[in-house]
Amino acid sequence: MGKNTKILGLFFLSGIVLLVVLIPALRMTNTFRSRAQVPPPGTIVQPITPTPGGDQKKSLQLHTFPFATLPPGTTPQAPVVNPPTNSPTNTPVNNPTTPPNLPPGTKIPVKPPIIGGPNPPANHYCIDDQDPDMCDDSSSHIVPFGVGGATGPCGKIIDQAHKLVAALPQVMKGTRDSLTRSVTTSCHTTGPSSGYVSTYFVIDAFNLAGFKELSKTNSAHVSPTGLYNWWQSPPPGYVFVPYSPSVVQAFGNGQRDLTGCAMFLKTGSGYHIGIVNRLELFTPGGDGVISILQSGSRMYIDRFPVAGWSIQNTSTNQTSTSGVIGFGCHI
């Protein structure tokens, strides 16, 4: 029993010595730190380079985070970051219930024909389907000016066609085969003209807008057949659109604007040519009328019925043709 007592005493003494040696070392590593030494929330311990010869106990310093401290027990949340000003989430979105303002030449609305006369309102033509005397009573058709179509350096083709119509003879009866005064833009001037045939009207409308590839001094362009042939292989910027009801339907739906294009109709002696003024739709099924502006005939405006998107061969003023062949346009 005495021997065992001595052994236990030695173990006890060794434990005391071990604690005396280890506790200071553990304090240097902050293993045992008093509650007063624990840094407050939101701080971080960051090592610094020890000063040569300095006390190694001072080799640790406390540095504070530049962020707000969360209360104990709070779950960290991802920070909210505002998107940059060019972010798609900040891009204004048009209200889909508000239709945009459609430019001229897009989908054509369905409207009933306008009947009136003999004095049409501004920017409207008046034509009487009952006789070839233009507009002489209140049963005439009122046709709005066409808008849209190709635009050149000096304006739209259709706008130049309206100017040319105003310079044709403004009489109740007679042939529109002369230009009573000159029509001028900075791109072209017509000069007064006699023998003002339908091809002159087309050439001048394009020239006045600034499209100068056609010329009244070129006999191939002045001939209706020659003008048609020219448009079969035109220079860049021009296109010939063969006629079909689907083309007229595309015009009505706003997929193709034929306003200001030359419309070629086959006749027994060659071609009848005018500038497309307007497509008017009276029903959603493609019933209405398409009007053209022209010279060299009794009427400076003519209207061809459209039934189910198909242009009829005879105009409302009994101009008989063999049908529309196609449209000569500038892109």
Side-chain angles (χ1 to χ4, degrees):
M1 291 296 292
K3 184 178 181 179
N4 290 337
T5 302
K6 290 181 179 180
I7 293 173
L8 290 173
L10 289 173
F11 274 109
F12 180 74
L13 182 62
S14 298
I16 293 174
V17 172
L18 183 62
L19 290 174
V20 171
V21 173
L22 291 178
I23 286 174
L26 291 173
R27 283 181 175 175
M28 291 181 63
T29 59
N30 291 327
T31 302
F32 295 124
R33 182 182 288 178
S34 66
R35 295 183 64 88
Q37 292 175 303
V38 177
T43 60
I44 187 172
V45 176
Q46 179 174 328
I48 62 172
T49 304
T51 305
D55 189 348
Q56 295 301 311
K57 294 180 182 179
K58 298 179 182 178
S59 63
L60 299 178
Q61 281 191 347
L62 297 177
H63 287 269
T64 304
F65 275 117
F67 304 111
T69 303
L70 296 175
T74 304
T75 304
Q77 301 291 329
V80 177
V81 180
N82 291 327
T85 55
N86 61 348
S87 169
T89 58
N90 279 356
T91 302
V93 179
N94 292 330
N95 187 343
T97 63
T98 304
N101 293 323
L102 299 178
T106 55
K107 189 170 184 178
I108 298 173
V110 175
K111 295 182 178 180
I114 307 172
I115 306 300
N119 299 309
N123 298 328
H124 288 73
Y125 296 111
C126 183
I127 182 171
D128 193 341
D129 290 347
Q130 299 173 353
D131 55 55
D133 293 336
M134 288 306 298
C135 179
D136 60 355
D137 58 48
S138 59
S139 65
S140 301
H141 286 265
I142 307 299
V143 183
F145 278 23
V147 292
T151 302
C154 294
K156 295 181 180 297
I157 296 171
I158 188 62
D159 290 343
Q160 313 312 319
H162 296 320
K163 295 176 185 177
L164 292 171
V165 166
L168 294 173
Q170 301 297 302
V171 295
M172 188 60 66
K173 298 178 182 287
T175 304
R176 322 295 165 163
D177 60 353
S178 65
L179 208 59
T180 60
R181 56 182 172 82
S182 181
V183 178
T184 302
T185 66
S186 58
C187 294
H188 178 70
T189 185
T190 64
S193 177
S194 59
Y196 201 69
V197 295
S198 62
T199 52
Y200 280 5
F201 187 90
V202 173
I203 293 169
D204 275 339
F206 276 73
N207 283 188
L208 288 166
F211 302 125
K212 307 297 288 290
E213 288 75 18
L214 294 168
S215 174
K216 290 185 292 185
T217 62
N218 188 327
S219 59
H221 298 169
V222 173
S223 162
T225 301
L227 188 60
Y228 172 79
N229 291 336
W230 180 87
W231 237 299
Q232 302 313 297
S233 55
Y238 291 80
V239 64
F240 185 82
V241 182
Y243 164 74
S244 70
S246 62
V247 169
V248 181
Q249 185 173 16
F251 186 14
N253 290 336
Q255 299 165 328
R256 180 188 290 274
D257 192 355
L258 298 177
T259 308
C261 294
M263 188 166 85
F264 290 86
L265 302 104
K266 194 74 174 71
T267 65
S269 58
Y271 296 94
H272 179 67
I273 307 169
I275 294 285
V276 175
N277 174 62
R278 197 177 191 96
L279 172 64
E280 298 175 78
L281 293 178
F282 305 148
T283 71
D287 301 320
V289 66
I290 188 169
S291 56
I292 62 173
L293 306 178
Q294 60 192 0
S295 66
S297 61
R298 291 184 308 177
M299 317 290 282
Y300 52 70
I301 181 172
D302 212 347
R303 302 161 66 246
F304 289 81
V306 178
W309 305 111
S310 179
I311 300 175
Q312 306 303 292
N313 293 353
T314 301
S315 76
T316 57
N317 287 285
Q318 305 306 308
T319 302
S320 181
T321 73
S322 299
V324 181
I325 302 300
F327 305 89
C329 306
H330 195 284
I331 300 172

